[in-house]
Amino acid sequence: MTLSDRTTPSLPLRQLLLAVGEPLLQPVAGGLDVPVRGVGIFDDDAGGFPGELVLLVGARGRNAVRSVRAAARAGAAAAVVKHDGPLDELRAAAEEGGIALLTVGSRMRWDQLQTLLREVLEAASLTADSTSDSGDLFSLAQTVAVLTAGSVTIEDAGHRVLAYSRSDDEIDELRRLSILGWEGPEQYLALLREWGVYQRLRSSEEVVRVDERPELGIRRRLAVGIRAGTQHLGTIWVQEGAQPFAERAESALLGAARLAAVQLLRRRSPSVRPREDLVEGLLDGRISADLVAGQLGLDPSAPVTVLAFTAREVERDRSEHELHQLELSNVVSVHATSYRRGALVGTVGSRVYAVLPEAGPSLSTVAGHIVGALARAGMRAQAGIGSAVPALGDVVRSRAEADRVLDAMARTGRDVATISDLRAEILLDETLSLLAANPELRDPAVSALVAHDAEHGTELVTSLLAYLDALGDVRAAATVLHIHPNTLRHRLRRATEVGGLHLDDPRERLAWHLQLLLTAR
């Protein structure tokens, strides 16, 4: 009975062995470059097994020899058998049938071996049919290199190199051979397996440290497994260069592994709506929260908070702008995902948004780390944090608040702010926007005062605004303007004459203050 996936692309047997570990499967006969396209449990009545690796379950002694020959006639690429005795007859049968033969220890359960082999083949299939996301992986590798201060390589479960970062730093022989050959060199992979590195990468989500081995020409490394549930999809490696790893390198690496898993899984289901489209539609209110939660495996009833990021500089060159947008999105994605697995990141216009399933003061720290990482990458940015909302369906409200915070921050020197930090600024901004949109609400006398300054070269508007900002304190306003208090008093008398302002009326002072602030925008 075959249990293989007939649509699974092939993987060379050599790569399959490297991925599962040579101590587990021992080659007995046949070449290791034969392509394997599936895993099956051999059954004489199942028909053909073209290109598959078949498990000869229950085959012993003479039965094993007959099963090897039958598997070869069925078109199998390789066969695995449990056999503790002499291998001469089995080897001869395999060579005669043109099939590769491997043995596995008697304590290994067949179902466990089948699951492991299928996982490796399925992970390899994520990159076999489509290269549409290779650019995303290379971009991710470059972002991780900046955040970790190392040289990055992304591999699939068969140790094939999918992407790597550009680097002018010193690289060791392992990285050089991996990039040149697009796969990890066998002698180095065997050492990493001997040191237990691969077992740790497969069994957990932890970041693994690999010590420097000067005698082998291997520099210090960080590594993390790319996982989807319990399935191992690949590995991200970071080699240390002339400088030590960045302070938060491990956190960045964990977030990058979660992003890489999403990109690899996306290739398996190209018909699924792209994650970016879902997030952007959620932020815009075009796509329902239930649809997004269903496709991305989220809890739609959990509270969320939106963080908005934007670059301070505006590039004139379109290609430079798009490059900076991509860098901004990548850095936000890596850090947000390392903070919370369920984080969503999307771009709308020139702003990048992170939807985080948690509220609290720690979000300011997260935003600060992201802005700091962008600064180290050469990009000055600001982050605005909206209020927490009770469910994913209310995310548009939190995003609107985050946008208002960023709008208000544009007139401040702050890097990170919450809606609470700038509530007064935001209220003022909204009020001025209302005045700007409704000119009939404004006092024509303000326009007359502005026109008087333009015609006579006076500074009545600036002087009056400074006086109102100082709450009527003439000396404080004069200090700001760098003039004598008597000079300011003269200007104020002249301003009231030209505009007809009554400074003793608090409501009139407030109305003029708002309108003068509008002229100063």
Side-chain angles (χ1 to χ4, degrees):
M1 176 180 62
T2 179
L3 296 177
S4 63
D5 181 354
R6 298 292 184 180
T7 65
T8 302
S10 62
L11 182 70
L13 181 58
R14 183 187 308 276
Q15 290 297 119
L16 190 61
L17 290 179
L18 286 172
V20 301
E22 292 179 48
L24 183 61
L25 291 171
Q26 294 290 346
V28 173
L32 298 182
D33 293 320
V34 58
V36 176
R37 61 176 301 275
V39 180
I41 293 181
F42 184 74
D43 185 334
D44 286 321
D45 299 328
F49 295 83
E52 297 178 3
L53 184 152
V54 294
L55 311 180
L56 305 182
V57 178
R60 291 287 192 277
R62 298 295 303 174
N63 287 335
V65 175
R66 285 194 295 271
S67 294
V68 169
R69 289 172 177 162
R73 289 193 300 270
V80 181
V81 64
K82 291 183 179 180
H83 193 76
D84 298 325
L87 297 172
D88 293 344
E89 284 191 84
L90 284 173
R91 185 180 294 110
E95 292 175 348
E96 180 184 346
I99 186 175
L101 181 64
L102 307 101
T103 61
V104 65
S106 59
R107 293 186 178 181
M108 183 67 186
R109 288 171 47 184
W110 287 112
D111 59 338
Q112 292 177 337
L113 178 60
Q114 180 202 19
T115 298
L116 178 60
L117 291 169
R118 285 173 62 86
E119 282 187 359
V120 173
L121 286 172
E122 287 174 3
S125 74
L126 298 178
T127 59
D129 293 332
S130 170
T131 58
S132 61
D133 290 323
S134 60
D136 290 339
L137 287 175
F138 273 95
S139 176
L140 178 62
Q142 195 63 34
T143 298
V144 177
V146 172
L147 297 178
T148 60
S151 299
V152 177
T153 306
I154 302 177
E155 299 178 353
D156 68 9
H159 308 300
R160 296 182 298 184
V161 174
L162 304 177
Y164 54 87
S165 64
R166 303 180 302 276
S167 176
D168 297 325
D169 208 344
E170 301 175 15
I171 63 173
D172 61 15
E173 191 70 359
L174 172 54
R175 177 173 169 82
R176 187 183 71 81
L177 292 176
S178 296
I179 292 175
L180 289 178
W182 285 92
E183 63 184 35
E186 293 182 29
Q187 66 271 30
Y188 288 108
L189 298 180
L191 286 174
L192 293 171
R193 190 174 295 109
E194 180 182 331
W195 298 335
V197 173
Y198 284 123
Q199 180 180 0
R200 294 173 64 189
L201 291 173
R202 285 182 174 277
S203 61
S204 73
E205 199 182 42
E206 69 174 312
V207 174
V208 177
R209 288 182 171 266
V210 182
D211 293 333
E212 183 179 16
R213 301 294 178 104
E215 72 279 8
L216 299 175
I218 299 179
R219 290 179 175 269
R220 193 158 70 106
R221 274 173 168 71
L222 297 176
V224 67
I226 304 171
R227 300 169 61 81
T230 60
Q231 183 174 353
H232 178 74
L233 303 178
T235 308
I236 301 179
W237 297 92
V238 186
Q239 178 219 294
E240 189 176 55
Q243 301 299 321
F245 291 125
E247 181 181 354
R248 296 181 57 81
E250 293 193 16
S251 175
L253 196 55
L254 180 60
R258 293 170 177 173
L259 290 176
V262 171
Q263 292 187 23
L264 292 178
L265 289 171
R266 184 190 304 159
R267 302 181 185 190
R268 177 182 294 177
S269 304
S271 61
V272 175
R273 196 166 190 169
R275 183 184 182 95
E276 291 81 1
D277 288 352
L278 288 172
V279 177
E280 291 170 17
L282 175 68
L283 291 166
D284 277 343
R286 293 181 289 106
I287 299 179
S288 75
D290 289 338
L291 174 61
V292 174
Q295 291 210 17
L296 301 183
L298 304 175
D299 178 5
S301 62
V304 295
T305 304
V306 174
L307 282 61
F309 298 84
T310 188
R312 286 188 175 183
E313 298 86 359
V314 178
E315 304 83 8
R316 295 182 179 179
D317 182 78
R318 180 176 178 181
S319 61
E320 183 183 10
H321 172 73
E322 291 182 355
L323 176 61
H324 281 189
Q325 279 294 106
L326 180 60
E327 292 173 350
L328 177 63
S329 177
N330 282 340
V331 171
V332 173
S333 296
V334 168
H335 278 276
T337 311
S338 68
Y339 177 70
R340 283 292 180 269
R341 179 182 289 277
L344 303 177
V345 177
T347 300
V348 180
S350 62
R351 292 179 175 179
V352 175
Y353 299 89
V355 183
L356 296 177
E358 184 173 312
S362 60
L363 293 185
S364 294
T365 303
V366 174
H369 286 154
I370 295 175
V371 170
L374 288 165
R376 290 190 294 273
M379 186 185 305
R380 298 175 66 238
Q382 292 177 307
I385 305 173
S387 297
V389 290
L392 193 62
D394 300 312
V395 75
V396 173
R397 177 156 54 90
S398 184
R399 179 213 165 179
E401 290 188 352
D403 280 333
R404 290 191 182 100
V405 174
L406 276 186
D407 291 339
M409 288 176 67
R411 296 181 296 277
T412 73
R414 305 181 69 144
D415 291 331
V416 177
T418 67
I419 185 77
S420 299
D421 295 330
L422 297 177
R423 198 174 295 279
E425 282 283 343
I426 293 169
L427 176 60
L428 177 61
D429 190 64
E430 294 286 331
T431 304
L432 295 182
S433 296
L434 178 65
L435 280 174
N438 296 274
E440 70 277 6
L441 297 178
R442 303 202 293 266
D443 189 339
V446 176
S447 299
L449 194 61
V450 173
H452 182 277
D453 275 351
E455 181 180 352
H456 298 90
T458 53
E459 298 181 18
L460 301 182
V461 170
T462 303
S463 300
L464 181 55
L465 184 55
Y467 171 77
L468 293 171
D469 282 343
L471 300 177
D473 188 330
V474 172
R475 292 189 177 278
T479 300
V480 171
L481 294 171
H482 304 290
I483 61 176
H484 193 278
N486 288 337
T487 302
L488 177 57
R489 290 188 181 98
H490 171 73
R491 291 181 182 179
L492 292 174
R493 285 194 297 270
R494 184 61 183 150
T496 56
E497 292 171 0
V498 173
L501 171 65
H502 299 94
L503 290 177
D504 56 347
D505 186 333
R507 287 179 174 79
E508 191 168 336
R509 285 202 310 269
L510 174 60
W512 270 65
H513 198 175
L514 290 172
Q515 292 172 83
L516 290 173
L517 287 170
L518 182 61
T519 65
R521 261 185 163 190

